[in-house]
Amino acid sequence: EKRAQQLLQQAETLKRKFNEVFWMEDEGCFAYGLDPDKKQITSIASNAGQVLWGGIADPDKAERTAKRLLQEDMWSGWGIRTLSSKNPAYNPYLYQLGSVWPQDNGIIAAGFKRYGLVDEANQVIRGIFDAINRFDAYRPPEVFAGVHRKGDDDFPVLYPGGANIPQAWATGSVFHMVRTMLGLRADAPRKRLYVYPTLPDWIRMMELQGLRIGPCTIAIRFWREGKDSRWEVQDMTADKGRAKEDMIQVMDDPERPQR
């Protein structure tokens, strides 16, 4: 317990110092990094969204960062670019200088929802899903160009150097984003599955089958009623020989963020 308290104090100190040193008030965003003289590197990059995923951002700074990353210089219409189009080094066809990564956007969307920024998270997810929908067999590429989207009939420009299609972490981002929308948080040692669904208006219903938590296989249905999302367990089976007290309890997440 004493060691735990020390670690918690260190984490609080790190969080406070990070928000003091990396925050750019004029940009409403976190800096890209610090130079050798500990001065801010003021580039706007998608890395700032990963700060929210890690949970180190102050709530007010998290909301402003989300709004900044969804401005036109960062938001391509297909996802959030790795680098702002206002940056002198910006090139939408280069790997880390303006392209769009599905897995990067999946992390950012999860960070948005962590702070209760549900609409912002769903906007990012919709952009990536729209892009994936246009690729053969719904296979998300490793990366695609950050060229601005022009309407519903447009197609995301392929990375000219040749991106891996499919690629594991890009494909994994689909599952990550589904988890974000449904708010799944498993705690198998305590026999819990917490849910906090926030389905967007473009997904009215979703079913998960074969979800493994601890010794159980679970099927859950999620649906929208007005602006609210509901859920129900449709089926749950335990491995042979498991007692009733080993069954997983599915419940609303008590730690759901409040905006």
Side-chain angles (χ1 to χ4, degrees):
E1 185 176 349
K2 182 178 179 180
R3 177 61 173 157
Q5 290 301 318
Q6 291 173 344
L7 292 173
L8 286 171
Q9 183 58 52
Q10 290 176 17
E12 285 299 320
T13 300
L14 175 62
K15 181 176 182 178
R16 175 177 53 81
K17 289 184 176 181
F18 177 85
N19 281 272
E20 289 174 355
V21 173
F22 278 81
W23 181 247
M24 299 185 296
E25 179 63 28
D26 57 335
E27 285 281 6
C29 193
F30 289 99
Y32 182 71
L34 302 179
D35 69 14
D37 297 319
K38 301 300 182 182
K39 294 181 179 179
Q40 291 179 345
I41 301 171
T42 58
S43 301
I44 303 297
S46 61
N47 302 58
Q50 298 193 22
V51 169
L52 276 61
W53 175 75
I56 199 172
D58 290 336
D60 61 321
K61 296 180 177 63
E63 184 168 358
R64 292 182 64 188
T65 296
K67 293 182 181 300
R68 181 64 187 85
L69 294 180
L70 291 174
Q71 291 182 18
E72 188 173 349
D73 62 312
M74 287 297 294
W75 176 249
S76 72
W78 302 112
I80 293 174
R81 300 181 177 97
T82 49
L83 187 67
S84 166
S85 62
K86 295 180 180 179
N87 192 292
Y90 169 73
N91 186 328
Y93 300 102
L94 292 183
Y95 200 62
Q96 297 183 8
L97 297 179
S99 62
V100 175
W101 297 13
Q103 68 279 359
D104 187 28
N105 278 262
I107 292 171
I108 294 170
F112 286 179
K113 183 161 180 179
R114 179 171 188 157
Y115 285 86
L117 305 170
V118 172
D119 292 340
E120 292 83 349
N122 285 339
Q123 177 180 337
V124 173
I125 293 171
R126 177 63 186 266
I128 295 294
F129 278 17
D130 280 356
I132 292 174
N133 189 50
R134 286 160 170 77
F135 290 108
D136 185 43
Y138 307 106
R139 289 177 164 183
E142 171 189 12
V143 62
F144 49 89
V147 175
H148 191 73
R149 179 177 181 175
K150 297 179 181 179
D152 293 336
D153 297 327
D154 201 4
F155 192 95
V157 178
L158 290 173
Y159 181 68
N164 292 322
I165 306 176
Q167 197 211 42
W169 67 355
T171 302
S173 71
V174 177
F175 297 93
H176 195 188
M177 287 182 281
V178 168
R179 178 186 175 184
T180 294
M181 286 189 291
L182 302 183
L184 302 178
R185 185 168 67 89
D187 188 351
R190 293 183 175 84
K191 304 180 181 64
R192 300 283 192 275
L193 172 63
Y194 300 109
V195 295
Y196 168 37
T198 51
L199 292 177
D201 57 8
W202 43 275
I203 296 181
R204 307 299 302 181
M205 189 271 289
M206 185 184 298
E207 292 184 3
L208 286 186
Q209 298 180 357
L211 182 63
R212 288 285 299 178
I213 308 292
C216 294
T217 301
I218 307 171
I220 313 178
R221 184 173 76 95
F222 302 85
W223 71 96
R224 276 180 61 101
E225 288 184 3
K227 295 183 179 180
D228 298 324
S229 295
R230 310 294 187 189
W231 62 272
E232 66 176 359
V233 176
Q234 293 185 307
D235 185 49
M236 183 185 303
T237 58
D239 295 340
K240 187 176 181 180
R242 291 286 185 168
K244 185 177 181 180
E245 54 266 24
D246 291 332
M247 299 292 282
I248 297 296
Q249 297 183 50
V250 185
M251 59 186 65
D252 289 318
D253 194 339
E255 298 182 10
R256 57 194 297 169
Q258 300 296 329
R259 184 167 180 175

